[in-house]
Structure formats: structure tokens, C-alpha cells
Amino acid sequence: MAERVLPQHLGIIMDGNGRWAKKRGLPRSAGHAAGAKVFKQMVLYCGDIGLKYLTIYAFSTENWKRPQKEVLSLVSLFKIYLKDALDNFLNRNIQVRFLGDTSVFDPQLRKLIDEIKEASVGHTGMVLNIALNYGGRAEIVRAVRLLAQDVQQGKIKPEEIEEADIASRLYTAGEPDPDLIIRPSGEQRTSNFMLWQSAYTEYLVMDTLWPDFTPADLERAFDIYAKRDRRFGGI
């Protein structure tokens, strides 16, 4: 029997919560609550099957444009599930990291984020990246600013700057680029997710709305990924 081919680093754009709720005559907050439960299920499943890195797009820099009631509902959900993560994810030897500018959140949520990072820093299992207030363009701008500071301080010359210098200043510094990014819900756009890191990532759009996403859908995605011919610009 052939060995199963898994991506080393998987990214998921959680999408379709609002449409899932609308189809059922429910408020959008109900869709986000259902999606959060699937988030927990997928994290534990990916950890159990031996995935090395999982990056989940939870809240983008553009999501602040949504109605305030929906944003407040999402932030409340983050608090509930991060508290749950302290018990469930960390007991599974999962290391949790956060991508994005989390300084904008309220003190309670920032405290939870810090507690999870500190509690999981020595874990050796799967690395879970949770992208909160994250945007790919904002991440690159941040990296460029850090580089500009180093140039200003004489630590590096402009002509010496290479791709690795930018990569080392991204939120994902030290991690491999994603091999596969899955977007449930059928939408065919990147939505400002890991723009630098996904230069040669395999993308897979699936019609299933995120709250309906199951381990069977994930395994189907892995089967499709295993059949892809990744040439990275070569022949």
C-alpha cells in the first residue's frame, strides 16, 4: 500500500459561515459559532494524523469593515474557543502561534493569546498558526519596515537584501511555506492570505461551506493534493 502524501504545511481559509446561517434562516453569529466548532474538530484531526503545520485564517484586517455587532460576536467567540484551547489543544502537544497584529484587541483577549503562546511554547507536536487581524499585504509592509530599520541602523545594506531577509521578518519566520491552501465555500480568491508564502502553494477551492466541512472533506483534499505535480517553476 502506497504511503499517504500529506502536505507539511496546510492553510485553510475558513469561509462560508454567513451563507450557512442564511440558508437556515439564522443570524450570521450562528454560522460563526458553527464554524468555530469545525475549527476545533479540524485542528484536533490534523494533529492526530501527524500534520506538521496548520495555519487557519480566522479574522482578516478587512473583517473590521463588517457590522459592529458581527465583529463583537466574532471577538466573543475567539475568547470562548481560546479558553477551550488552553485545555484541549495544549493537552495534545500542539504549539499555538498567532499571525497578525493582535495588539488591537481588548485586554482580555490579548491576555488569553499571551497565555496560550506561553503555555505551548515548548510543545513539539503540530504547530497551529491562528491568523487574527491578519492581512498578507500588511504582513509584507511590516517586514519591509523592519528591514528599513535595520538598514537605517547599518545592520544591512540595501543591495544586500534578498528574499530570505524578507521571509525572516514575516510572522511565519522559520516555518516552511504552505504546500496546500484549502478554501471551502466555492469562492475563488486568495483574500489577502499568505501572499508572500503562497508563491508556489497548491490552491484547492471546495464547494462545501465551512460549518459543513468534515474530516472526509479534508481527506478528499489530501487525495487531490497527492495527485498534483509540483514543479516550482521547473519542468
Side-chain angles (χ1 to χ4, degrees):
M1 184 176 179
E3 184 178 353
R4 182 166 61 155
V5 177
L6 290 177
Q8 183 181 21
H9 187 169
L10 170 67
I12 300 178
I13 301 174
M14 297 190 296
D15 194 20
N17 294 341
R19 276 167 286 166
W20 182 91
K22 185 177 180 181
K23 284 173 62 177
R24 291 160 176 77
L26 300 171
R28 290 176 63 87
S29 58
H32 293 309
K37 291 179 181 178
V38 175
F39 157 74
K40 176 181 175 181
Q41 181 187 32
M42 289 299 109
V43 169
L44 296 179
Y45 184 79
C46 287
D48 287 342
I49 64 175
L51 207 68
K52 300 299 183 184
Y53 296 87
L54 173 64
T55 299
I56 299 286
Y57 203 9
F59 190 84
S60 77
T61 49
E62 289 74 38
N63 285 157
W64 295 106
K65 301 173 184 176
R66 294 184 178 187
Q68 186 180 23
K69 184 178 180 180
E70 182 176 350
V71 171
L72 291 174
S73 174
L74 280 167
V75 172
S76 295
L77 269 177
F78 296 153
K79 293 175 183 177
I80 292 170
Y81 280 91
L82 288 182
K83 287 177 183 176
D84 185 60
L86 279 169
D87 297 324
N88 288 286
F89 296 168
L90 304 190
N91 288 340
R92 300 290 188 97
N93 196 31
I94 294 172
Q95 182 177 160
V96 184
R97 300 175 183 170
F98 292 86
L99 315 184
D101 179 11
T102 58
S103 68
V104 300
F105 294 114
D106 66 67
Q108 186 183 16
L109 182 53
R110 294 202 309 270
K111 184 173 182 289
L112 275 170
I113 288 171
D114 289 340
E115 286 178 357
I116 290 173
K117 287 193 295 187
E118 291 170 10
S120 71
V121 70
H123 289 186
T124 57
M126 183 180 75
V127 172
L128 168 64
N129 296 315
I130 302 176
L132 281 178
N133 193 32
Y134 171 87
R137 287 182 173 180
E139 180 182 30
I140 294 170
V141 168
R142 173 181 174 271
V144 170
R145 285 174 177 166
L146 291 172
L147 265 174
Q149 289 174 7
D150 288 343
V151 170
Q152 191 176 43
Q153 294 169 10
K155 296 178 181 179
I156 188 171
K157 296 178 180 178
E159 61 271 20
E160 294 174 346
I161 295 174
E162 298 179 348
E163 288 185 10
D165 296 303
I166 295 176
S168 67
R169 289 162 176 81
L170 299 176
Y171 291 116
T172 53
E175 299 182 9
D177 290 338
D179 304 291
L180 172 66
I181 290 178
I182 299 172
R183 178 157 195 161
S185 85
E187 298 291 348
Q188 300 188 42
R189 55 180 175 271
T190 63
S191 291
N192 201 15
F193 182 52
M194 302 187 85
L195 299 181
W196 177 279
Q197 299 92 330
S198 64
Y200 280 101
T201 297
E202 296 294 322
Y203 262 84
L204 179 59
V205 174
M206 304 181 77
D207 290 331
T208 307
L209 299 175
W210 178 246
D212 291 326
F213 205 80
T214 67
D217 293 307
L218 191 59
E219 289 295 341
R220 181 161 60 91
F222 290 155
D223 288 342
I224 294 171
Y225 168 77
K227 295 180 176 66
R228 297 274 180 94
D229 181 15
R230 305 190 70 201
R231 298 186 298 277
F232 299 95
I235 297 176

